[in-house]
């Protein structure tokens, strides 16, 4: 199993609390996903939030929809990480599915919106990394997008494998937002592979061949992925031969409190001495070493 590397702790100075924001944008990016931008005067979200962390969103009450629990959403982008330097801005990319996200999708410009955070831990990342590999499936790209930008800003070589049902679902532009693909560094050091269910190219066999090839032909310092259990199982198998790669996964789970109290988000993990142990995705994660995930099926 790949070496477990200490997960970065959330800075103790940052206080988790509720922030009153206002909607500056809430627009469809395709038939299933919306891009929500919020701003809160005098709140420097960019400085207090790290890649991989999430906020709990208080969804609005509408005539038909009355969501009760807050919904956890990864931070997709922070104003200062784009070129506009708007540190008061925080952005989310969300799949419109059930009660809460349908209510979210009804938010109009200037509507008030409360969010709680920043919550959870962040990815282990070193500016001295030379090359990283990101394997992204579905809306997990929202969680990995700030990390991609961070790596790009530090001139790290980036291999990306994006997988989706079909081209419209891939959201490649959303994932690579803020990166100038014509810029010489991106041309030389950013490799993006796109795989689709619609043409069979996202099969586990194809993915295994591609990941194995990248691992064999590159010296990868760190590998990051998000939620898909099948991809996670494949990576656990492949990474046995690469114990020095820092390999992490951002996990998703139904949540209630989002702060480690209610225990509704626990999952089984392996400890370094071979035992298994329940951990809270919201408080101990959502980022975990890939080798430690022990629940499947
Ligand atoms: C850390 C994290 C980051 C995420 N980031 C993103 C993201 O960036 N974009 C995105 O689209 N999605 C993200 N998700 C998933 C997102 O939270 C869910 O898709 C969303 O909550 C679904 O809400 P809904 O109202 O559409 O669905 P519904 O099914 O109507 O409601 C689901 C909600 O009900 C509650 N609930 C249901 N069952 C249980 C249970 N057994 N125990 C406790 N509570 C329960 C939870 O609050 C849950 O959020 C993330 C999830 C996590 C945990
Ligand atoms: S959601 Fe309550 S402990 Fe994780």
């Amino acid at each position: 199993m790949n070496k477990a590397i200490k997960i970065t702790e959330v800075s103790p100075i940052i206080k988790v609390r509720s922030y009153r924001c206002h909607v500056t944008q809430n627009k469809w990016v395709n038939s299933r996903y919306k891009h929500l931008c919020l701003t809160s005067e005098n709140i420097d979200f960019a400085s207090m939030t790290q890649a991989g962390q999430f906020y709990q969103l208080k969804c609005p009450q509408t005539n038909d929809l009355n969501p009760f629990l807050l919904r956890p959403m990864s931070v997709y982008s922070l104003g200062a990480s784009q070129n506009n330097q708007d540190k008061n801005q925080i952005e989310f990319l969300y799949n419109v599915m059930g009660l809460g996200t349908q209510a979210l999708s009804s938010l109009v410009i200037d509507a008030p919106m409360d969010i709680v955070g920043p919550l959870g831990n962040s990815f282990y990342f070193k500016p001295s990394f030379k090359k990283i590999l990101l394997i992204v499936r579905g809306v997990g790209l929202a969680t990995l997008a700030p990390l991609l930008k961070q790596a790009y800003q530090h001139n790290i070589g980036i291999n990306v494998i994006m997988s989706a049902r079909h081209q419209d679902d891939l959201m490649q532009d959303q994932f690579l937002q803020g990166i100038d693909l014509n810029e010489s560094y991106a041309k030389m050091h950013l490799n993006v592979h796109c795989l689709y269910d619609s043409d069979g190219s996202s099969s586990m066999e194809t993915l295994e061949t591609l990941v194995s090839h990248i691992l064999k032909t590159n010296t990868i310092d760190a590998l990051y992925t998000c939620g898909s259990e099948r991809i996670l199982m494949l990576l656990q198998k492949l990474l046995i031969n690469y114990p020095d790669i820092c390999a992490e996964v951002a996990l998703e789970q139904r949540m209630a409190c989002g702060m480690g109290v209610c225990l509704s988000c626990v999952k089984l993990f392996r400890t370094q001495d071979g035992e298994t142990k329940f951990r809270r995705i919201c408080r101990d994660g959502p980022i975990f070493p890939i080798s430690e995930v022990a629940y499947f099926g």
Side-chain angles (χ1 to χ4, degrees):
M1 283 288 143
N2 57 311
K3 191 164 68 184
I5 296 182
K6 188 178 174 298
I7 295 167
T8 324
E9 299 289 338
V10 177
S11 165
I13 302 160
I14 307 294
K15 285 224 168 68
V16 172
R17 71 170 180 86
S18 178
Y19 295 95
R20 167 55 57 99
C21 301
H22 286 89
V23 176
T24 55
Q25 176 187 293
N26 189 20
K27 70 169 190 199
W28 291 99
V29 298
N30 61 23
S31 58
R32 298 200 299 137
Y33 293 91
K34 284 192 103 167
H35 181 186
L36 174 67
C37 300
L38 305 174
T39 188
S40 186
E41 216 179 315
N42 301 326
I43 302 299
D44 185 351
F45 287 116
S47 306
M48 66 189 218
T49 312
Q50 299 173 48
Q53 288 193 291
F54 69 99
Y55 282 73
Q56 286 264 68
L57 275 54
K58 188 166 187 335
C59 306
Q61 305 283 318
T62 71
N63 287 342
D64 310 321
L65 305 165
N66 304 102
F68 175 65
L69 292 166
L70 280 66
R71 279 9 182 207
M73 290 290 162
S74 298
V75 176
Y76 162 58
S77 186
L78 294 154
S81 62
Q82 297 177 320
N83 295 328
N84 62 11
Q85 295 295 318
D86 182 358
K87 293 184 171 189
N88 305 139
Q89 179 150 308
I90 186 162
E91 301 175 33
F92 302 91
L93 189 68
Y94 65 98
N95 188 359
V96 181
M97 290 168 48
L99 213 65
T101 47
Q102 278 175 35
L104 268 188
S105 79
S106 71
L107 283 168
V108 294
I109 305 278
D110 288 335
M113 160 102 199
D114 292 327
I115 64 174
V116 177
L119 297 164
N121 62 0
S122 58
F123 293 105
Y124 182 86
F125 172 82
K126 285 207 285 193
S128 59
F129 282 161
K130 295 278 180 286
K131 254 186 202 172
I132 63 171
L133 170 59
L134 305 180
I135 303 173
V136 186
R137 168 98 190 163
V139 79
L141 76 84
T143 316
L144 291 170
L147 182 70
L148 172 82
K149 229 166 274 173
Q150 210 174 340
Y152 180 70
Q153 282 160 359
H154 286 95
N155 291 346
I156 292 170
I158 307 166
N159 279 282
V160 178
I161 302 176
M162 298 189 73
S163 161
R165 292 182 192 176
H166 43 75
Q167 203 166 356
D168 186 44
D169 248 19
L170 193 72
M171 296 187 285
Q172 185 176 350
D173 292 348
Q174 281 70 32
F175 191 51
L176 302 178
Q177 79 157 0
I179 293 180
D180 179 1
L181 295 175
N182 294 317
E183 188 254 330
S184 59
Y185 187 85
K187 277 186 181 162
M188 284 175 66
H189 298 288
L190 175 66
N191 291 309
V192 183
H193 308 265
C194 302
L195 310 178
Y196 305 107
D197 298 354
S198 52
D199 63 9
S201 59
S202 66
S203 72
M204 282 300 118
E205 293 73 26
T206 311
L207 184 64
E208 178 165 356
T209 307
L210 181 57
V211 175
S212 301
H213 176 74
I214 292 172
L215 292 177
K216 269 186 203 139
T217 53
N218 295 270
T219 305
I220 299 290
D221 295 304
L223 180 156
Y224 307 95
T225 190
C226 47
S228 158
E229 284 195 14
R230 289 194 314 152
I231 295 178
L232 196 50
M233 286 168 83
L234 172 67
L235 292 175
Q236 284 195 335
K237 185 179 90 176
L238 296 179
L239 287 166
I240 288 173
N241 298 323
Y242 299 90
D244 292 330
I245 295 180
C246 161
E248 292 187 330
V249 58
L251 294 176
E252 281 186 17
Q253 170 68 333
R254 296 285 200 196
M255 288 183 181
C257 74
M259 293 177 188
V261 181
C262 71
L263 303 184
S264 70
C265 67
V266 295
K267 287 272 189 185
L268 208 53
F269 290 83
R270 256 187 295 273
T271 61
Q272 286 178 36
D273 45 19
E275 306 278 302
T276 49
K277 189 179 172 187
F278 283 106
R279 287 193 188 152
R280 299 158 300 180
I281 304 290
C282 68
R283 181 77 184 187
D284 306 316
I287 318 297
F288 293 91
I290 286 178
S291 60
E292 294 184 11
V293 179
Y295 67 88
F296 286 111

